[in-house]
Amino acid sequence: MINRYSNYRALAVFIAMLILPLYWSGTCQAQSHRQPPDSLYLNVLFGDWFKNDTVDVSINDSLIFKGAQLTSSIIGLAQPEILISKKKGRYFVHTSESKTIKNIKIKSEIVYVELNFNNRKQEFIINTSRGRYIVFDNVDNGKLDYRQSKNMIIFE
């Protein structure tokens, strides 16, 4: 019995060692090829501690998506992802939930993000001059907070 358990455990570790690096490298490659940095205005991600949660996202009073399901992966990343790019003075929203691209009005470095997280409205004021990479985390059983960086955030 102990011998069989050891064999299954060794097989599981071997498979994990083969699959997880492929998954992580694909995720990191996808992160590094998502958007050219010169046209990226804002990148919004959902990170840790989400499990079957729902979220509606509005940016500057423009609904981006409604009822998206959030479940964090083993690397601490949940879909959907929001990219806002700037081209020729206009701003465009791309999401991983939709193939459509929407125009959005942005007048300054300040962006107002409203999240309706599990039917609880939370508002955030983001100053994009402090960084264009934002990760929201479920820090306290339904209370969201965010991390902000000038450099792309890599999940490992």
Side-chain angles (χ1 to χ4, degrees):
M1 185 73 165
I2 293 173
N3 213 4
R4 186 182 307 169
Y5 174 75
S6 297
N7 289 341
Y8 286 128
R9 184 172 180 213
L11 180 62
V13 169
F14 176 74
I15 290 171
M17 288 174 57
L18 285 176
I19 293 174
L20 288 177
L22 293 173
Y23 175 77
W24 285 328
S25 69
T27 302
C28 292
Q29 286 176 358
Q31 288 178 358
S32 66
H33 290 96
R34 282 190 297 236
Q35 186 75 17
D38 55 341
S39 68
L40 178 68
Y41 177 75
L42 191 65
N43 182 202
V44 179
L45 299 167
F46 294 91
D48 288 324
W49 310 113
F50 295 103
K51 186 173 182 181
N52 297 320
D53 297 301
T54 59
V55 66
D56 306 336
V57 177
S58 294
I59 297 176
N60 288 355
D61 294 324
S62 179
L63 181 65
I64 307 302
F65 53 76
K66 188 173 180 74
Q69 292 282 41
L70 298 176
T71 297
S72 299
S73 68
I74 58 172
I75 60 168
L77 184 62
Q79 293 293 329
E81 174 183 9
I82 303 166
L83 294 169
I84 300 177
S85 60
K86 180 180 180 181
K87 292 184 183 173
K88 297 180 181 176
R90 297 176 63 197
Y91 296 89
F92 303 94
V93 176
H94 319 257
T95 70
S96 58
E97 291 288 294
S98 171
K99 294 183 180 184
T100 60
I101 298 172
K102 297 166 56 172
N103 289 326
I104 187 168
K105 292 187 189 249
I106 296 178
K107 298 178 183 175
S108 72
E109 294 179 335
I110 304 298
V111 176
Y112 299 93
V113 178
E114 180 181 301
L115 302 175
N116 188 352
F117 179 67
N118 294 335
N119 296 317
R120 183 175 168 204
K121 183 176 163 183
Q122 298 178 54
E123 297 176 334
F124 301 89
I125 299 171
I126 310 278
N127 184 340
T128 59
S129 69
R130 294 186 185 138
R132 52 186 168 180
Y133 299 95
I134 308 295
V135 179
F136 285 97
D137 294 309
N138 185 3
V139 294
D140 187 19
N141 204 16
K143 183 176 181 336
L144 301 178
D145 200 2
Y146 69 92
R147 298 175 270 158
Q148 185 170 6
S149 176
K150 290 186 177 188
N151 299 315
M152 181 180 288
I153 299 169
I154 302 296
F155 293 86
E156 299 181 42

